[in-house]
Amino acid sequence: MAAPKVTVLDYGSGNVRSAVRALERVGADVTLSARAEDVTEADGLLVPGVGAFAAVMAALNEVGAVRHIGRRIAGNRPVLGICVGHQVFFDEGVEHGVRTPGLGEWPGTVELLPAPIVPHMGWNTVTAPEGTRLFSGIEEERFYFVHSYAVQRWDFEVLQPRMKPPLVTWSEHGAPFVAGVENGPLSAVQFHPEKSGDAGAQLLENWLGTL
């Protein structure tokens, strides 16, 4: 079988090279690009992200990626977000009192973690739901987090009787927070799989298996 073609979205985020290498190690044919055809036509799209929510949203808008990501999701084409690339799929982010609209695929606000020490930096466990594909075989593993903000409440209304509710994975630092979401073609994780050793590699391999 041909290697799945994955585009890592190149919009100025700082962790793209490590993401490219991690995907290549698990068998993907990877392109680093923001070109419309690469974003929309690849078997899978990975949206990385580090830094501030507002800066990431501004950069996504600047390269025209918001529209292309929306087209992929509407067309049932797989997308994986990581770190701030996970956060931007929620309604909004609040940093230093400033609210920035996100992509609005899921309800929720990205807010500062109520922990004695932030950022939340290092290895942590997760609680994955029954039926997860992303975390299949690695439910008990630890993953590497670097973040100060997260979505701490989940309130998703299922609007259609046949619609499956998203699968939500949780972790905790000061309070429970959303560590991962699996929702049809769109998945995202708060941690860095490319920095999470064998467990992160298995998660990326699991995602490739859904393409």
mmCIF file of all heavy atoms in Angstrom, residues 5-12 16 29-48 59-80 89 103 185-186 207 211:
data_model
loop_
_atom_site.group_PDB
_atom_site.id
_atom_site.type_symbol
_atom_site.label_atom_id
_atom_site.label_comp_id
_atom_site.label_asym_id
_atom_site.label_seq_id
_atom_site.Cartn_x
_atom_site.Cartn_y
_atom_site.Cartn_z
ATOM 1 N N LYS A 5 -0.585 10.268 2.314
ATOM 2 C CA LYS A 5 -0.029 11.604 2.088
ATOM 3 C C LYS A 5 -0.603 12.562 3.133
ATOM 4 O O LYS A 5 -1.810 12.730 3.237
ATOM 5 C CB LYS A 5 -0.367 12.080 0.681
ATOM 6 C CG LYS A 5 0.289 11.255 -0.423
ATOM 7 C CD LYS A 5 -0.017 11.823 -1.798
ATOM 8 C CE LYS A 5 0.611 10.972 -2.891
ATOM 9 N NZ LYS A 5 2.086 10.959 -2.791
ATOM 10 N N VAL A 6 0.292 13.153 3.898
ATOM 11 C CA VAL A 6 -0.100 14.066 4.969
ATOM 12 C C VAL A 6 0.558 15.420 4.737
ATOM 13 O O VAL A 6 1.765 15.498 4.481
ATOM 14 C CB VAL A 6 0.309 13.520 6.350
ATOM 15 C CG1 VAL A 6 0.004 14.548 7.448
ATOM 16 C CG2 VAL A 6 -0.410 12.203 6.643
ATOM 17 N N THR A 7 -0.237 16.465 4.815
ATOM 18 C CA THR A 7 0.302 17.821 4.788
ATOM 19 C C THR A 7 0.366 18.358 6.208
ATOM 20 O O THR A 7 -0.624 18.311 6.945
ATOM 21 C CB THR A 7 -0.567 18.749 3.924
ATOM 22 O OG1 THR A 7 -0.473 18.354 2.553
ATOM 23 C CG2 THR A 7 -0.108 20.202 4.038
ATOM 24 N N VAL A 8 1.546 18.827 6.606
ATOM 25 C CA VAL A 8 1.695 19.576 7.855
ATOM 26 C C VAL A 8 1.558 21.051 7.488
ATOM 27 O O VAL A 8 2.320 21.560 6.668
ATOM 28 C CB VAL A 8 3.043 19.291 8.534
ATOM 29 C CG1 VAL A 8 3.230 20.203 9.750
ATOM 30 C CG2 VAL A 8 3.136 17.824 8.945
ATOM 31 N N LEU A 9 0.577 21.708 8.069
ATOM 32 C CA LEU A 9 0.270 23.081 7.693
ATOM 33 C C LEU A 9 1.411 24.008 8.097
ATOM 34 O O LEU A 9 1.782 24.103 9.272
ATOM 35 C CB LEU A 9 -1.032 23.520 8.361
ATOM 36 C CG LEU A 9 -1.550 24.899 7.975
ATOM 37 C CD1 LEU A 9 -1.837 24.981 6.478
ATOM 38 C CD2 LEU A 9 -2.818 25.222 8.766
ATOM 39 N N ASP A 10 1.967 24.704 7.128
ATOM 40 C CA ASP A 10 3.107 25.589 7.325
ATOM 41 C C ASP A 10 2.629 27.035 7.334
ATOM 42 O O ASP A 10 2.421 27.645 6.292
ATOM 43 C CB ASP A 10 4.125 25.364 6.195
ATOM 44 C CG ASP A 10 5.393 26.176 6.385
ATOM 45 O OD1 ASP A 10 5.617 26.659 7.519
ATOM 46 O OD2 ASP A 10 6.152 26.318 5.413
ATOM 47 N N TYR A 11 2.454 27.598 8.528
ATOM 48 C CA TYR A 11 1.973 28.980 8.623
ATOM 49 C C TYR A 11 2.811 29.786 9.610
ATOM 50 O O TYR A 11 2.391 30.843 10.073
ATOM 51 C CB TYR A 11 0.498 29.005 9.040
ATOM 52 C CG TYR A 11 0.235 28.466 10.424
ATOM 53 C CD1 TYR A 11 0.132 29.309 11.519
ATOM 54 C CD2 TYR A 11 0.113 27.098 10.643
ATOM 55 C CE1 TYR A 11 -0.081 28.821 12.791
ATOM 56 C CE2 TYR A 11 -0.104 26.589 11.913
ATOM 57 C CZ TYR A 11 -0.199 27.457 12.980
ATOM 58 O OH TYR A 11 -0.399 26.964 14.245
ATOM 59 N N GLY A 12 4.013 29.285 9.931
ATOM 60 C CA GLY A 12 4.891 30.005 10.842
ATOM 61 C C GLY A 12 4.936 29.451 12.242
ATOM 62 O O GLY A 12 5.611 30.018 13.113
ATOM 63 N N VAL A 16 6.977 22.675 13.549
ATOM 64 C CA VAL A 16 6.592 21.903 12.365
ATOM 65 C C VAL A 16 7.613 20.844 11.982
ATOM 66 O O VAL A 16 7.246 19.757 11.541
ATOM 67 C CB VAL A 16 6.318 22.836 11.170
ATOM 68 C CG1 VAL A 16 5.038 23.614 11.385
ATOM 69 C CG2 VAL A 16 7.477 23.787 10.927
ATOM 70 N N ASP A 29 3.906 9.966 4.022
ATOM 71 C CA ASP A 29 4.556 10.765 2.984
ATOM 72 C C ASP A 29 4.163 12.213 3.264
ATOM 73 O O ASP A 29 3.018 12.602 3.029
ATOM 74 C CB ASP A 29 4.073 10.311 1.608
ATOM 75 C CG ASP A 29 4.653 11.132 0.476
ATOM 76 O OD1 ASP A 29 5.480 12.024 0.736
ATOM 77 O OD2 ASP A 29 4.269 10.893 -0.688
ATOM 78 N N VAL A 30 5.102 12.996 3.789
ATOM 79 C CA VAL A 30 4.758 14.288 4.394
ATOM 80 C C VAL A 30 5.176 15.455 3.513
ATOM 81 O O VAL A 30 6.292 15.489 2.988
ATOM 82 C CB VAL A 30 5.410 14.428 5.784
ATOM 83 C CG1 VAL A 30 4.951 15.725 6.458
ATOM 84 C CG2 VAL A 30 5.073 13.232 6.663
ATOM 85 N N THR A 31 4.279 16.432 3.389
ATOM 86 C CA THR A 31 4.550 17.696 2.724
ATOM 87 C C THR A 31 4.334 18.820 3.721
ATOM 88 O O THR A 31 3.313 18.833 4.419
ATOM 89 C CB THR A 31 3.612 17.902 1.519
ATOM 90 O OG1 THR A 31 3.819 16.848 0.583
ATOM 91 C CG2 THR A 31 3.870 19.234 0.835
ATOM 92 N N LEU A 32 5.287 19.741 3.801
ATOM 93 C CA LEU A 32 5.149 20.918 4.654
ATOM 94 C C LEU A 32 4.726 22.078 3.773
ATOM 95 O O LEU A 32 5.485 22.542 2.923
ATOM 96 C CB LEU A 32 6.482 21.223 5.342
ATOM 97 C CG LEU A 32 6.544 22.450 6.251
ATOM 98 C CD1 LEU A 32 5.539 22.322 7.388
ATOM 99 C CD2 LEU A 32 7.953 22.632 6.781
ATOM 100 N N SER A 33 3.493 22.546 3.923
ATOM 101 C CA SER A 33 2.956 23.493 2.951
ATOM 102 C C SER A 33 1.731 24.206 3.494
ATOM 103 O O SER A 33 1.034 23.698 4.378
ATOM 104 C CB SER A 33 2.578 22.757 1.661
ATOM 105 O OG SER A 33 1.965 23.620 0.717
ATOM 106 N N ALA A 34 1.462 25.393 2.927
ATOM 107 C CA ALA A 34 0.199 26.096 3.168
ATOM 108 C C ALA A 34 -0.554 26.305 1.863
ATOM 109 O O ALA A 34 -1.569 27.004 1.843
ATOM 110 C CB ALA A 34 0.460 27.433 3.848
ATOM 111 N N ARG A 35 -0.061 25.715 0.766
ATOM 112 C CA ARG A 35 -0.738 25.865 -0.522
ATOM 113 C C ARG A 35 -2.117 25.207 -0.460
ATOM 114 O O ARG A 35 -2.292 24.135 0.111
ATOM 115 C CB ARG A 35 0.092 25.220 -1.630
ATOM 116 C CG ARG A 35 1.420 25.901 -1.894
ATOM 117 C CD ARG A 35 2.273 25.097 -2.840
ATOM 118 N NE ARG A 35 1.594 24.888 -4.124
ATOM 119 C CZ ARG A 35 1.703 23.783 -4.842
ATOM 120 N NH1 ARG A 35 2.423 22.765 -4.401
ATOM 121 N NH2 ARG A 35 1.080 23.692 -6.007
ATOM 122 N N ALA A 36 -3.085 25.842 -1.084
ATOM 123 C CA ALA A 36 -4.468 25.372 -1.004
ATOM 124 C C ALA A 36 -4.609 23.918 -1.430
ATOM 125 O O ALA A 36 -5.277 23.130 -0.753
ATOM 126 C CB ALA A 36 -5.369 26.260 -1.864
ATOM 127 N N GLU A 37 -3.977 23.550 -2.564
ATOM 128 C CA GLU A 37 -4.139 22.188 -3.053
ATOM 129 C C GLU A 37 -3.506 21.167 -2.114
ATOM 130 O O GLU A 37 -4.015 20.045 -1.966
ATOM 131 C CB GLU A 37 -3.575 22.034 -4.464
ATOM 132 C CG GLU A 37 -2.129 22.463 -4.624
ATOM 133 C CD GLU A 37 -1.993 23.906 -5.054
ATOM 134 O OE1 GLU A 37 -2.757 24.764 -4.556
ATOM 135 O OE2 GLU A 37 -1.116 24.176 -5.906
ATOM 136 N N ASP A 38 -2.391 21.529 -1.467
ATOM 137 C CA ASP A 38 -1.757 20.604 -0.528
ATOM 138 C C ASP A 38 -2.607 20.437 0.728
ATOM 139 O O ASP A 38 -2.698 19.341 1.289
ATOM 140 C CB ASP A 38 -0.362 21.112 -0.145
ATOM 141 C CG ASP A 38 0.615 21.091 -1.308
ATOM 142 O OD1 ASP A 38 0.470 20.207 -2.178
ATOM 143 O OD2 ASP A 38 1.506 21.956 -1.355
ATOM 144 N N VAL A 39 -3.215 21.531 1.175
ATOM 145 C CA VAL A 39 -4.040 21.487 2.386
ATOM 146 C C VAL A 39 -5.334 20.704 2.144
ATOM 147 O O VAL A 39 -5.748 19.891 2.972
ATOM 148 C CB VAL A 39 -4.358 22.912 2.870
ATOM 149 C CG1 VAL A 39 -5.373 22.887 4.017
ATOM 150 C CG2 VAL A 39 -3.084 23.615 3.313
ATOM 151 N N THR A 40 -5.955 20.913 0.998
ATOM 152 C CA THR A 40 -7.277 20.317 0.770
ATOM 153 C C THR A 40 -7.219 18.913 0.189
ATOM 154 O O THR A 40 -8.137 18.123 0.401
ATOM 155 C CB THR A 40 -8.120 21.216 -0.157
ATOM 156 O OG1 THR A 40 -7.419 21.412 -1.394
ATOM 157 C CG2 THR A 40 -8.390 22.562 0.496
ATOM 158 N N GLU A 41 -6.157 18.569 -0.529
ATOM 159 C CA GLU A 41 -6.144 17.308 -1.263
ATOM 160 C C GLU A 41 -5.395 16.173 -0.566
ATOM 161 O O GLU A 41 -5.523 15.017 -0.962
ATOM 162 C CB GLU A 41 -5.544 17.517 -2.656
ATOM 163 C CG GLU A 41 -6.328 18.483 -3.536
ATOM 164 C CD GLU A 41 -7.777 18.067 -3.705
ATOM 165 O OE1 GLU A 41 -8.036 16.852 -3.823
ATOM 166 O OE2 GLU A 41 -8.647 18.953 -3.702
ATOM 167 N N ALA A 42 -4.592 16.458 0.448
ATOM 168 C CA ALA A 42 -3.841 15.406 1.132
ATOM 169 C C ALA A 42 -4.793 14.434 1.816
ATOM 170 O O ALA A 42 -5.942 14.769 2.137
ATOM 171 C CB ALA A 42 -2.903 16.031 2.157
ATOM 172 N N ASP A 43 -4.310 13.226 2.057
ATOM 173 C CA ASP A 43 -5.117 12.250 2.797
ATOM 174 C C ASP A 43 -5.399 12.741 4.204
ATOM 175 O O ASP A 43 -6.479 12.516 4.755
ATOM 176 C CB ASP A 43 -4.385 10.897 2.862
ATOM 177 C CG ASP A 43 -4.152 10.300 1.487
ATOM 178 O OD1 ASP A 43 -5.047 10.420 0.622
ATOM 179 O OD2 ASP A 43 -3.069 9.707 1.268
ATOM 180 N N GLY A 44 -4.410 13.392 4.805
ATOM 181 C CA GLY A 44 -4.575 13.929 6.145
ATOM 182 C C GLY A 44 -3.904 15.279 6.272
ATOM 183 O O GLY A 44 -2.922 15.553 5.583
ATOM 184 N N LEU A 45 -4.439 16.138 7.134
ATOM 185 C CA LEU A 45 -3.856 17.446 7.408
ATOM 186 C C LEU A 45 -3.542 17.534 8.885
ATOM 187 O O LEU A 45 -4.414 17.273 9.725
ATOM 188 C CB LEU A 45 -4.820 18.570 7.032
ATOM 189 C CG LEU A 45 -4.374 19.981 7.425
ATOM 190 C CD1 LEU A 45 -3.175 20.422 6.588
ATOM 191 C CD2 LEU A 45 -5.522 20.981 7.284
ATOM 192 N N LEU A 46 -2.304 17.891 9.223
ATOM 193 C CA LEU A 46 -1.941 18.133 10.611
ATOM 194 C C LEU A 46 -1.775 19.633 10.823
ATOM 195 O O LEU A 46 -1.049 20.294 10.082
ATOM 196 C CB LEU A 46 -0.651 17.397 10.979
ATOM 197 C CG LEU A 46 -0.283 17.484 12.465
ATOM 198 C CD1 LEU A 46 0.233 16.155 12.980
ATOM 199 C CD2 LEU A 46 0.740 18.584 12.720
ATOM 200 N N VAL A 47 -2.480 20.159 11.823
ATOM 201 C CA VAL A 47 -2.418 21.580 12.162
ATOM 202 C C VAL A 47 -1.621 21.720 13.454
ATOM 203 O O VAL A 47 -2.125 21.407 14.531
ATOM 204 C CB VAL A 47 -3.824 22.180 12.346
ATOM 205 C CG1 VAL A 47 -3.732 23.671 12.678
ATOM 206 C CG2 VAL A 47 -4.672 21.963 11.095
ATOM 207 N N PRO A 48 -0.349 22.147 13.359
ATOM 208 C CA PRO A 48 0.446 22.339 14.573
ATOM 209 C C PRO A 48 0.129 23.687 15.194
ATOM 210 O O PRO A 48 -0.632 24.477 14.634
ATOM 211 C CB PRO A 48 1.883 22.296 14.041
ATOM 212 C CG PRO A 48 1.763 22.880 12.669
ATOM 213 C CD PRO A 48 0.395 22.483 12.148
ATOM 214 N N ALA A 59 -2.229 34.061 12.239
ATOM 215 C CA ALA A 59 -1.379 33.445 11.224
ATOM 216 C C ALA A 59 -2.182 32.525 10.315
ATOM 217 O O ALA A 59 -1.955 32.486 9.102
ATOM 218 C CB ALA A 59 -0.244 32.673 11.902
ATOM 219 N N LEU A 60 -3.123 31.785 10.875
ATOM 220 C CA LEU A 60 -3.976 30.919 10.051
ATOM 221 C C LEU A 60 -4.782 31.757 9.061
ATOM 222 O O LEU A 60 -4.920 31.385 7.887
ATOM 223 C CB LEU A 60 -4.917 30.106 10.940
ATOM 224 C CG LEU A 60 -4.294 28.996 11.775
ATOM 225 C CD1 LEU A 60 -5.334 28.400 12.718
ATOM 226 C CD2 LEU A 60 -3.703 27.901 10.896
ATOM 227 N N ASN A 61 -5.309 32.879 9.523
ATOM 228 C CA ASN A 61 -6.065 33.758 8.629
ATOM 229 C C ASN A 61 -5.172 34.373 7.558
ATOM 230 O O ASN A 61 -5.576 34.515 6.404
ATOM 231 C CB ASN A 61 -6.759 34.855 9.442
ATOM 232 C CG ASN A 61 -8.061 34.395 10.076
ATOM 233 O OD1 ASN A 61 -8.987 33.986 9.384
ATOM 234 N ND2 ASN A 61 -8.123 34.439 11.391
ATOM 235 N N GLU A 62 -3.954 34.710 7.932
ATOM 236 C CA GLU A 62 -3.049 35.374 7.002
ATOM 237 C C GLU A 62 -2.712 34.502 5.802
ATOM 238 O O GLU A 62 -2.585 34.999 4.686
ATOM 239 C CB GLU A 62 -1.764 35.785 7.725
ATOM 240 C CG GLU A 62 -0.827 36.622 6.876
ATOM 241 C CD GLU A 62 0.369 37.124 7.656
ATOM 242 O OE1 GLU A 62 0.288 37.178 8.901
ATOM 243 O OE2 GLU A 62 1.377 37.473 7.021
ATOM 244 N N VAL A 63 -2.571 33.183 6.024
ATOM 245 C CA VAL A 63 -2.234 32.292 4.908
ATOM 246 C C VAL A 63 -3.480 31.684 4.260
ATOM 247 O O VAL A 63 -3.383 30.831 3.381
ATOM 248 C CB VAL A 63 -1.271 31.163 5.353
ATOM 249 C CG1 VAL A 63 0.033 31.746 5.857
ATOM 250 C CG2 VAL A 63 -1.907 30.242 6.390
ATOM 251 N N GLY A 64 -4.675 32.117 4.696
ATOM 252 C CA GLY A 64 -5.912 31.614 4.106
ATOM 253 C C GLY A 64 -6.283 30.207 4.522
ATOM 254 O O GLY A 64 -7.119 29.560 3.878
ATOM 255 N N ALA A 65 -5.676 29.732 5.624
ATOM 256 C CA ALA A 65 -5.869 28.334 6.007
ATOM 257 C C ALA A 65 -7.237 28.061 6.622
ATOM 258 O O ALA A 65 -7.725 26.931 6.555
ATOM 259 C CB ALA A 65 -4.773 27.910 6.986
ATOM 260 N N VAL A 66 -7.852 29.070 7.214
ATOM 261 C CA VAL A 66 -9.135 28.845 7.892
ATOM 262 C C VAL A 66 -10.175 28.287 6.912
ATOM 263 O O VAL A 66 -10.877 27.313 7.207
ATOM 264 C CB VAL A 66 -9.634 30.146 8.550
ATOM 265 C CG1 VAL A 66 -11.063 29.979 9.068
ATOM 266 C CG2 VAL A 66 -8.705 30.553 9.690
ATOM 267 N N ARG A 67 -10.251 28.895 5.757
ATOM 268 C CA ARG A 67 -11.222 28.437 4.747
ATOM 269 C C ARG A 67 -10.887 27.020 4.265
ATOM 270 O O ARG A 67 -11.781 26.189 4.106
ATOM 271 C CB ARG A 67 -11.226 29.411 3.575
ATOM 272 C CG ARG A 67 -12.169 29.027 2.435
ATOM 273 C CD ARG A 67 -12.361 30.222 1.503
ATOM 274 N NE ARG A 67 -11.080 30.754 1.037
ATOM 275 C CZ ARG A 67 -10.479 30.330 -0.087
ATOM 276 N NH1 ARG A 67 -11.043 29.390 -0.827
ATOM 277 N NH2 ARG A 67 -9.346 30.864 -0.474
ATOM 278 N N HIS A 68 -9.610 26.739 4.051
ATOM 279 C CA HIS A 68 -9.217 25.427 3.539
ATOM 280 C C HIS A 68 -9.450 24.329 4.577
ATOM 281 O O HIS A 68 -9.878 23.225 4.233
ATOM 282 C CB HIS A 68 -7.748 25.449 3.125
ATOM 283 C CG HIS A 68 -7.430 26.486 2.094
ATOM 284 N ND1 HIS A 68 -8.277 26.772 1.039
ATOM 285 C CD2 HIS A 68 -6.366 27.325 1.958
ATOM 286 C CE1 HIS A 68 -7.748 27.730 0.296
ATOM 287 N NE2 HIS A 68 -6.599 28.080 0.829
ATOM 288 N N ILE A 69 -9.195 24.638 5.847
ATOM 289 C CA ILE A 69 -9.467 23.670 6.911
ATOM 290 C C ILE A 69 -10.964 23.382 6.963
ATOM 291 O O ILE A 69 -11.394 22.228 7.089
ATOM 292 C CB ILE A 69 -8.958 24.198 8.268
ATOM 293 C CG1 ILE A 69 -7.426 24.267 8.273
ATOM 294 C CG2 ILE A 69 -9.443 23.304 9.407
ATOM 295 C CD1 ILE A 69 -6.854 25.006 9.471
ATOM 296 N N GLY A 70 -11.777 24.439 6.873
ATOM 297 C CA GLY A 70 -13.223 24.258 6.879
ATOM 298 C C GLY A 70 -13.704 23.395 5.731
ATOM 299 O O GLY A 70 -14.601 22.553 5.901
ATOM 300 N N ARG A 71 -13.110 23.583 4.551
ATOM 301 C CA ARG A 71 -13.475 22.757 3.394
ATOM 302 C C ARG A 71 -13.144 21.293 3.648
ATOM 303 O O ARG A 71 -13.924 20.401 3.283
ATOM 304 C CB ARG A 71 -12.748 23.248 2.151
ATOM 305 C CG ARG A 71 -13.293 24.533 1.555
ATOM 306 C CD ARG A 71 -12.505 24.950 0.332
ATOM 307 N NE ARG A 71 -12.515 23.912 -0.710
ATOM 308 C CZ ARG A 71 -11.694 23.896 -1.752
ATOM 309 N NH1 ARG A 71 -10.794 24.865 -1.895
ATOM 310 N NH2 ARG A 71 -11.773 22.951 -2.651
ATOM 311 N N ARG A 72 -12.002 21.038 4.247
ATOM 312 C CA ARG A 72 -11.629 19.654 4.542
ATOM 313 C C ARG A 72 -12.646 19.002 5.475
ATOM 314 O O ARG A 72 -13.110 17.882 5.240
ATOM 315 C CB ARG A 72 -10.246 19.592 5.189
ATOM 316 C CG ARG A 72 -9.071 19.671 4.254
ATOM 317 C CD ARG A 72 -7.799 19.216 4.960
ATOM 318 N NE ARG A 72 -7.822 17.794 5.256
ATOM 319 C CZ ARG A 72 -7.371 16.840 4.450
ATOM 320 N NH1 ARG A 72 -6.837 17.156 3.283
ATOM 321 N NH2 ARG A 72 -7.437 15.572 4.807
ATOM 322 N N ILE A 73 -12.950 19.690 6.549
ATOM 323 C CA ILE A 73 -13.866 19.115 7.541
ATOM 324 C C ILE A 73 -15.242 18.891 6.935
ATOM 325 O O ILE A 73 -15.866 17.839 7.141
ATOM 326 C CB ILE A 73 -13.937 20.018 8.786
ATOM 327 C CG1 ILE A 73 -12.565 20.073 9.469
ATOM 328 C CG2 ILE A 73 -14.994 19.510 9.769
ATOM 329 C CD1 ILE A 73 -12.457 21.119 10.563
ATOM 330 N N ALA A 74 -15.725 19.863 6.159
ATOM 331 C CA ALA A 74 -17.027 19.714 5.503
ATOM 332 C C ALA A 74 -17.036 18.552 4.526
ATOM 333 O O ALA A 74 -18.073 17.908 4.317
ATOM 334 C CB ALA A 74 -17.396 21.009 4.785
ATOM 335 N N GLY A 75 -15.892 18.276 3.924
ATOM 336 C CA GLY A 75 -15.773 17.164 2.980
ATOM 337 C C GLY A 75 -15.388 15.852 3.616
ATOM 338 O O GLY A 75 -15.046 14.887 2.911
ATOM 339 N N ASN A 76 -15.405 15.789 4.953
ATOM 340 C CA ASN A 76 -15.096 14.560 5.695
ATOM 341 C C ASN A 76 -13.650 14.103 5.461
ATOM 342 O O ASN A 76 -13.373 12.916 5.435
ATOM 343 C CB ASN A 76 -16.077 13.445 5.323
ATOM 344 C CG ASN A 76 -16.248 12.440 6.448
ATOM 345 O OD1 ASN A 76 -16.284 12.818 7.619
ATOM 346 N ND2 ASN A 76 -16.348 11.171 6.106
ATOM 347 N N ARG A 77 -12.734 15.077 5.303
ATOM 348 C CA ARG A 77 -11.320 14.780 5.102
ATOM 349 C C ARG A 77 -10.595 14.939 6.436
ATOM 350 O O ARG A 77 -10.700 15.980 7.081
ATOM 351 C CB ARG A 77 -10.705 15.715 4.056
ATOM 352 C CG ARG A 77 -11.453 15.787 2.723
ATOM 353 C CD ARG A 77 -11.422 14.472 1.962
ATOM 354 N NE ARG A 77 -10.075 14.017 1.636
ATOM 355 C CZ ARG A 77 -9.340 14.469 0.616
ATOM 356 N NH1 ARG A 77 -9.815 15.426 -0.167
ATOM 357 N NH2 ARG A 77 -8.143 13.963 0.384
ATOM 358 N N PRO A 78 -9.807 13.952 6.873
ATOM 359 C CA PRO A 78 -9.234 13.962 8.219
ATOM 360 C C PRO A 78 -8.288 15.131 8.496
ATOM 361 O O PRO A 78 -7.463 15.512 7.670
ATOM 362 C CB PRO A 78 -8.480 12.630 8.283
ATOM 363 C CG PRO A 78 -9.208 11.746 7.322
ATOM 364 C CD PRO A 78 -9.616 12.646 6.194
ATOM 365 N N VAL A 79 -8.443 15.663 9.714
ATOM 366 C CA VAL A 79 -7.614 16.751 10.229
ATOM 367 C C VAL A 79 -7.213 16.387 11.660
ATOM 368 O O VAL A 79 -8.031 15.895 12.430
ATOM 369 C CB VAL A 79 -8.377 18.093 10.241
ATOM 370 C CG1 VAL A 79 -7.526 19.204 10.866
ATOM 371 C CG2 VAL A 79 -8.830 18.480 8.845
ATOM 372 N N LEU A 80 -5.942 16.656 12.003
ATOM 373 C CA LEU A 80 -5.461 16.467 13.371
ATOM 374 C C LEU A 80 -4.806 17.752 13.838
ATOM 375 O O LEU A 80 -3.870 18.250 13.204
ATOM 376 C CB LEU A 80 -4.446 15.319 13.441
ATOM 377 C CG LEU A 80 -3.777 15.086 14.809
ATOM 378 C CD1 LEU A 80 -4.798 14.633 15.847
ATOM 379 C CD2 LEU A 80 -2.640 14.068 14.698
ATOM 380 N N PHE A 89 -9.692 25.001 17.496
ATOM 381 C CA PHE A 89 -10.945 24.425 16.999
ATOM 382 C C PHE A 89 -12.124 24.698 17.930
ATOM 383 O O PHE A 89 -13.262 24.379 17.595
ATOM 384 C CB PHE A 89 -10.784 22.923 16.753
ATOM 385 C CG PHE A 89 -9.981 22.632 15.511
ATOM 386 C CD1 PHE A 89 -8.680 22.187 15.597
ATOM 387 C CD2 PHE A 89 -10.530 22.844 14.251
ATOM 388 C CE1 PHE A 89 -7.933 21.942 14.452
ATOM 389 C CE2 PHE A 89 -9.797 22.604 13.108
ATOM 390 C CZ PHE A 89 -8.493 22.156 13.204
ATOM 391 N N LEU A 103 -12.033 28.702 15.642
ATOM 392 C CA LEU A 103 -12.678 28.154 14.454
ATOM 393 C C LEU A 103 -14.100 27.672 14.728
ATOM 394 O O LEU A 103 -14.864 27.443 13.797
ATOM 395 C CB LEU A 103 -11.835 27.011 13.886
ATOM 396 C CG LEU A 103 -10.420 27.409 13.455
ATOM 397 C CD1 LEU A 103 -9.648 26.186 12.977
ATOM 398 C CD2 LEU A 103 -10.465 28.459 12.352
ATOM 399 N N PRO A 185 -14.146 13.428 11.115
ATOM 400 C CA PRO A 185 -12.859 13.641 10.455
ATOM 401 C C PRO A 185 -11.901 14.505 11.267
ATOM 402 O O PRO A 185 -10.711 14.570 10.956
ATOM 403 C CB PRO A 185 -13.242 14.358 9.159
ATOM 404 C CG PRO A 185 -14.484 15.105 9.505
ATOM 405 C CD PRO A 185 -15.230 14.196 10.459
ATOM 406 N N LEU A 186 -12.410 15.185 12.303
ATOM 407 C CA LEU A 186 -11.601 16.144 13.057
ATOM 408 C C LEU A 186 -11.195 15.569 14.404
ATOM 409 O O LEU A 186 -12.037 15.191 15.214
ATOM 410 C CB LEU A 186 -12.388 17.436 13.263
ATOM 411 C CG LEU A 186 -11.701 18.531 14.081
ATOM 412 C CD1 LEU A 186 -10.374 18.929 13.468
ATOM 413 C CD2 LEU A 186 -12.623 19.734 14.229
ATOM 414 N N TRP A 207 -3.687 7.508 14.120
ATOM 415 C CA TRP A 207 -4.365 8.499 13.273
ATOM 416 C C TRP A 207 -4.181 8.172 11.786
ATOM 417 O O TRP A 207 -5.142 8.239 11.020
ATOM 418 C CB TRP A 207 -3.858 9.900 13.587
ATOM 419 C CG TRP A 207 -4.498 10.966 12.752
ATOM 420 C CD1 TRP A 207 -5.813 11.329 12.749
ATOM 421 C CD2 TRP A 207 -3.859 11.803 11.766
ATOM 422 N NE1 TRP A 207 -6.029 12.343 11.833
ATOM 423 C CE2 TRP A 207 -4.844 12.656 11.215
ATOM 424 C CE3 TRP A 207 -2.545 11.918 11.323
ATOM 425 C CZ2 TRP A 207 -4.563 13.602 10.226
ATOM 426 C CZ3 TRP A 207 -2.261 12.862 10.343
ATOM 427 C CH2 TRP A 207 -3.260 13.683 9.808
ATOM 428 N N LEU A 211 -6.979 7.328 8.022
ATOM 429 C CA LEU A 211 -7.018 8.135 6.790
ATOM 430 C C LEU A 211 -7.608 7.351 5.637
ATOM 431 O O LEU A 211 -7.400 6.138 5.538
ATOM 432 C CB LEU A 211 -5.614 8.626 6.441
ATOM 433 C CG LEU A 211 -4.891 9.431 7.524
ATOM 434 C CD1 LEU A 211 -3.582 9.983 6.984
ATOM 435 C CD2 LEU A 211 -5.754 10.574 8.044
#
